[in-house]
Amino acid sequence: MTVALFTLGGTIAMAGTGAGGVVSRLTGADLTAAVPGLADVPLDVRDVEAVPSAALAYRQILDLVDAAGAAVADGAAGVVVTQGTDTLEETAFLADLVWPHPAPLVFTGAMRNPTLAGPDGPANLLAAARVAAAPAARDLGVLVAFNDEIHAARFVRKTHSTSTATFASPNAGPIGHVIEGAARLLTRPPRHAPLPPVDRDRLAATRVALHTVTLDDDPALLDALTPNLDGLVVAGFGVGHVPPDFAPALGALAARMPVVLASRTGAGSVLRNTYGAVGSETDLRRRGLLCGGLLDPYKAKVLLRMLLAGGADPAAVAAAFARLG
């Protein structure tokens, strides 16, 4: 069975040097030719657009999901996407929100470009292809294969700026590993129903911001941030706390738009009813903020923007976060 490979650029596709450093130059054919052992996985290679992942937009990822779905409909056993790692945790989660197929859609990339000693791109690409071809990886939604670990897109985080072991799932751990060239799945988290399709033009016009609360923060900053917004994600301290002065301002915002409370810590859940001081999670929920649960702020922002672009009303937004957070 064939695996479709879509290439989007990033470190995995960088070679040679430009005036300011390495640049994206390798095609999908170049990438696959550099991978020993990949010949046993038939690939249908499709170069999309070689750009840094910081340049990607929701529309490009949704278009890619459509193309990946068409490849599956044409008989592909699974799909691999290579891209830069900077936004991979967000793009994979975005794809997971809308991917409706049993076939695996597997994202991967690299931390060391091919001009360096020990580039990790070839091994990651081989692992991703084997995961995409594995029957055991079906019905798991979108996955991330990196460093011979298999992660669910909704759990995975980029946790280090340079390490080849950067991708981890702090709340759940990897759901499997690639061992001796085979995908070994250790657990099967339940899938959630995909979100309904969204109008791409409406999505482009939907504005959701993220504010990370810091020590001695100034609530007046929210005034500059929030005009013309459709929604806001607040990354609070610890289990979901903000300075007391922030609480009234956030409550006022929650009266006119969805405001989601997440944790800036990188792991763990926002709580609901443990602390009761002004600015605590209990106080903020009483003022109308939505609990982001286990979703980190970046994924909460992706989900909120997709829900609002899809026309979800406040009750539907709250239900989605209760279900997915």
Side-chain angles (χ1 to χ4, degrees), residues 167-196:
F167 284 98
S169 297
N171 290 319
I175 64 170
H177 302 267
V178 178
I179 302 171
E180 293 185 325
R184 176 81 180 273
L185 276 299
L186 305 179
T187 186
R188 302 187 66 84
R191 289 189 69 181
H192 297 290
L195 298 181

Side-chain angles (χ1 to χ4, degrees), residues 58 80 87 97 217 266 311:
Y58 282 48
V80 172
T87 62
L97 289 176
D217 211 343

Side-chain angles (χ1 to χ4, degrees), residues 9 18 43 56 84 116 133 166 178 194 231 270:
L43 293 177
L56 293 172
L116 299 177
T166 181
V178 178
V270 168

Side-chain angles (χ1 to χ4, degrees), residues 13-320:
M14 289 181 175
T17 56
V22 291
V23 293
S24 293
R25 287 183 178 166
L26 299 180
T27 66
D30 296 327
L31 289 177
T32 56
V35 184
L38 193 56
D40 62 349
V41 183
L43 293 177
D44 175 13
V45 180
R46 311 182 189 194
D47 293 316
V48 182
E49 186 176 5
V51 296
S53 65
L56 293 172
Y58 282 48
R59 181 187 292 268
Q60 290 165 288
I61 299 304
L62 295 177
D63 288 347
L64 183 147
V65 168
D66 290 343
V72 168
D74 288 340
V79 180
V80 172
V81 176
T82 61
Q83 68 157 81
T85 61
D86 284 349
T87 62
L88 193 149
E89 62 186 289
E90 293 159 270
T91 58
F93 180 66
L94 171 59
D96 190 52
L97 289 176
V98 298
W99 181 248
H101 305 282
L105 174 56
V106 186
F107 281 67
T108 195
M111 296 299 292
R112 291 186 186 141
N113 71 74
T115 69
L116 299 177
D120 56 327
N124 288 338
L125 177 54
L126 179 60
R130 286 177 167 163
V131 172
R138 294 179 64 82
D139 294 305
L140 288 172
V142 177
L143 304 171
V144 172
F146 220 93
N147 203 36
D148 281 341
E149 293 183 339
I150 306 167
H151 295 268
R154 68 178 181 270
F155 300 140
V156 76
R157 299 289 309 272
K158 184 175 182 179
T159 64
H160 195 283
S161 63
T162 58
S163 171
T164 56
T166 181
F167 284 98
S169 297
N171 290 319
I175 64 170
H177 302 267
V178 178
I179 302 171
E180 293 185 325
R184 176 81 180 273
L185 276 299
L186 305 179
T187 186
R188 302 187 66 84
R191 289 189 69 181
H192 297 290
L195 298 181
V198 300
D199 180 86
R200 308 291 161 86
D201 291 333
R202 180 171 181 174
L203 177 61
T206 300
R207 303 181 67 199
V208 175
L210 167 62
H211 180 79
T212 300
V213 177
T214 58
L215 178 68
D216 198 23
D217 211 343
D218 182 359
L221 295 173
L222 295 173
D223 296 333
L225 181 68
T226 54
N228 303 314
L229 281 185
D230 300 295
L232 175 67
V233 174
V234 177
F237 304 124
V239 298
H241 297 168
V242 300
D245 289 349
F246 263 73
L250 291 175
L253 289 172
R256 64 181 178 87
M257 71 175 75
V259 180
V260 177
L261 180 63
S263 173
R264 71 176 199 172
T265 59
S269 178
V270 168
L271 297 183
R272 295 174 179 272
N273 301 301
T274 298
Y275 296 92
V278 175
S280 69
E281 81 286 351
T282 304
D283 176 55
L284 294 174
R285 289 184 64 237
R286 189 183 302 119
R287 295 174 189 268
L289 274 69
L290 300 174
C291 177
L294 286 163
L295 288 176
D296 63 72
Y298 312 118
K299 291 185 177 66
K301 184 174 183 286
V302 170
L303 176 58
L304 182 57
R305 186 176 175 192
M306 288 291 289
L307 291 169
L308 295 177
D313 61 23
V317 172

